[in-house]
Amino acid sequence: MNNLTVSDIRFSYSLSTLQQIARDILQHAQKGGASACETNVSDGFGQTVTVRQKEVETIEYNRDKGLSVTVYIGQKRGHASTSDFSPQAISDTVAAALSIARYTADDDCAGLADAELLAKDYPSLNLYYPWQISVEEAIELAKQCEQSGFAADKRIANSEGATVAVSESQFIYANSLGFMGGYPFSRHSISCAMIAEQGDSKQRDYWYSVVRDAADLETVESIGRKAGERSAARLGARKIGTCEVPVLFEAPIASGLFGHFASAISGNNLYRKSSFLIDSIGQQVFAPDVQIVELPHLHKGLASGPFDDDGVATLDRHVVENGIVQGYFLGSYSARKLGMRTTGNAGGTHNLIMKNGTPLSFQDLLKKMDTGLLVTELLGHGINPVTGDYSRGASGFWVENGAIRYPVEEITIAGNLKDMFRGIIAIGDDVIVRGSKQCGSVLIDRMTVAGG
């Protein structure tokens, strides 16, 4: 189900109406004296239902729309936005952007993307799947999910609720070079958080599933059960002494490690010199068998897109090959600042897939680690983007002889991201897709674990 007829019915505005608004904006900008202009016009809605203790806690429904305008007068840039689609508001917003541009300083890197890089004929990636679910049906799903959480373990005593969320949007991006493109997309999710109790000990954990197509969601029973089992497994958590051991990052949080890498080689951080990976192209940053590819055209991909926020065509590429950085993540502006060419990453990364060698099962990762720390939750934001120093509060499980022994909490794990990347021993096959970065659990050879 991926056609504009359905989307026109679901949304407040048809895609053709958004296209006309974009044309009007470009026309106003040209008449007002802009040498170039780009605009993004969007429309969307969402429905969120949360059930807690078998009772409906919240029902939220939202409809959002907005447009943004960026104009250039030579190399002066002005930007304005509004949520009002009336002709007068559109005219006023363009006038505001033009006024701002006249008072800003010249920036020799400002401007639209190079015309030859703009997406021409781009593929449909099946990113829009309407979820025709009523509030009553969503409430029933949330109740089933929570009930599965309670049934997972007799020590589950409370709930933070189960949530069923529908989100559908569409947009048009257009610029004065003649580019106009856009499409509808969806993002649906189910989540559950449970609380386990035993004596004076209380522990909370959660699980969720997020997809483009609701048919691909994990079952509510599975989501609830995992939330309950994970909460109960944390009961009786202990503190451990300070040590230096291998650390296994569980799949749901392991992708965050590669998020730090993506941030460090993103254009904005590179040209501002706020990165520990400046001049890293051609450098050995990861262990020699680590591969990272970017696949923007995956069908149903949560971070798929045929073009970036500048309208530049996206392409499959190797970002890291045999541990060596092959390229950065650049939009048009940051590329010019660095004297390089855009990589089609204005707005972020697209489906980064991380692998090394033959992926191991989670149990094989535990065996390979032998003795060390399995991290299932990270707390705080102790990362220095300039030096790569890494220090986070954590909880998880102590592992001995390749088997989980007991839960641990109130610990801190520390290292430097450069050492951590080079110290990746193995990546698991237990991939969980929840965003733009995909990998299984990640085993790092050694980190400092500070106990209580």
Side-chain angles (χ1 to χ4, degrees):
M1 199 176 223
N2 189 23
N3 59 72
L4 298 188
T5 304
V6 173
S7 72
D8 287 351
I9 296 169
R10 299 277 283 174
F11 295 108
S12 299
Y13 299 85
S14 67
L15 206 60
S16 59
T17 299
L18 300 189
Q19 290 172 333
Q20 187 56 54
I21 291 171
R23 290 189 195 97
D24 292 344
I25 289 168
L26 296 176
Q27 190 174 28
H28 282 303
Q30 184 182 26
K31 285 182 179 178
S35 53
C37 176
E38 58 186 333
T39 183
N40 190 299
V41 188
S42 62
D43 166 35
F45 64 90
Q47 173 186 290
T48 304
V49 172
T50 298
V51 166
R52 181 176 176 274
Q53 295 282 20
K54 301 181 182 179
E55 298 294 329
V56 176
E57 189 162 72
T58 58
I59 299 174
E60 298 176 7
Y61 190 79
N62 66 282
R63 281 199 176 270
D64 300 307
K65 67 182 192 296
L67 63 86
S68 63
V69 183
T70 301
V71 298
Y72 301 92
I73 301 176
Q75 296 200 290
K76 299 174 184 287
R77 176 183 179 275
H79 179 83
S81 60
T82 183
S83 59
D84 187 343
F85 283 5
S86 69
Q88 186 61 51
I90 291 170
S91 176
D92 291 346
T93 303
V94 175
L98 286 164
S99 178
I100 292 167
R102 293 188 181 99
Y103 288 98
T104 58
D106 281 353
D107 183 342
D108 59 5
C109 294
L112 302 177
D114 296 339
E116 67 273 14
L117 300 179
L118 296 173
K120 303 296 191 293
D121 297 321
Y122 54 84
S124 170
L125 301 178
N126 295 326
L127 304 182
Y128 179 57
Y129 290 83
W131 191 6
Q132 308 274 6
I133 182 171
S134 68
V135 169
E136 292 76 16
E137 290 169 329
I139 290 169
E140 185 56 35
L141 280 180
K143 285 182 176 179
Q144 291 173 21
C145 188
E146 185 186 48
Q147 185 54 42
S148 295
F150 277 113
D153 193 286
K154 62 184 179 183
R155 295 169 293 177
I156 301 298
N158 206 339
S159 163
E160 287 189 357
T163 298
V164 176
V166 177
S167 177
E168 299 176 26
S169 301
Q170 62 179 352
F171 77 99
I172 288 293
Y173 168 82
N175 64 34
S176 52
L177 293 173
F179 178 87
M180 181 176 291
Y183 46 86
F185 58 94
S186 53
R187 191 179 181 94
H188 310 303
S189 65
I190 298 175
S191 62
C192 184
M194 306 303 295
I195 299 170
E197 293 184 20
Q198 184 172 280
D200 295 333
S201 176
K202 286 186 180 182
Q203 294 288 347
R204 169 201 177 274
D205 213 325
Y206 65 95
W207 196 254
Y208 72 96
S209 176
V210 55
V211 294
R212 296 287 192 190
D213 181 357
D216 298 329
L217 283 164
E218 282 188 54
T219 65
V220 289
E221 291 81 10
S222 171
I223 293 166
R225 186 185 71 252
K226 288 178 182 177
E229 289 173 347
R230 291 172 69 86
S231 300
R234 296 174 63 155
L235 288 168
R238 312 180 198 175
K239 297 179 183 180
I240 55 174
T242 298
C243 54
E244 203 171 89
V245 293
V247 172
L248 177 59
F249 288 80
E250 190 189 25
I253 59 171
S255 59
L257 294 172
F258 297 96
H260 301 315
F261 165 70
S263 178
I265 65 163
S266 290
N268 290 347
N269 290 326
L270 291 170
Y271 79 71
R272 292 183 177 121
K273 308 290 187 186
S274 58
S275 167
F276 67 96
L277 291 179
I278 291 170
D279 298 325
S280 56
I281 290 181
Q283 299 298 309
Q284 187 86 42
V285 169
F286 288 89
D289 58 351
V290 172
Q291 321 292 335
I292 302 179
V293 295
E294 183 177 34
L295 304 175
H297 299 163
L298 289 180
H299 283 243
K300 294 187 178 183
L302 287 174
S304 292
F307 53 85
D308 71 358
D309 287 1
D310 293 335
V312 171
T314 53
L315 298 168
D316 291 357
R317 64 189 185 115
H318 289 271
V319 180
V320 171
E321 203 163 359
N322 301 323
I324 298 171
V325 176
Q326 305 296 309
Y328 297 145
F329 297 114
L330 308 175
S332 299
Y333 183 81
S334 62
R336 290 176 189 137
K337 293 288 280 187
L338 293 166
M340 302 179 77
R341 176 178 165 131
T342 177
T343 58
N345 290 107
T349 59
H350 310 279
N351 302 321
L352 296 187
I353 316 294
M354 283 69 72
K355 295 180 181 177
N356 81 326
T358 302
L360 300 180
S361 70
F362 183 72
Q363 292 303 319
D364 285 341
L365 287 172
L366 291 175
K367 290 175 185 174
K368 193 172 186 70
M369 178 166 68
D370 188 49
T371 296
L373 178 68
L374 165 62
V375 176
T376 59
E377 183 179 30
L378 291 167
L379 308 166
H381 300 280
I383 295 99
N384 186 322
V386 178
T387 64
D389 287 337
Y390 182 100
S391 179
R392 304 280 302 272
S395 59
F397 298 85
W398 185 251
V399 176
E400 288 179 1
N401 299 319
I404 293 173
R405 297 302 179 192
Y406 51 82
V408 295
E409 63 183 0
E410 295 182 27
I411 53 178
T412 301
I413 56 173
N416 185 280
L417 286 167
K418 286 184 177 180
D419 298 328
M420 292 162 65
F421 292 158
R422 284 193 294 264
I424 292 175
I425 299 172
I427 298 177
D429 61 7
D430 53 337
V431 179
I432 296 173
V433 181
R434 289 177 173 172
S436 64
K437 298 156 192 75
Q438 302 173 23
C439 68
S441 299
V442 173
L443 177 59
I444 292 174
D445 60 358
R446 194 158 294 273
M447 291 183 72
T448 299
V449 179

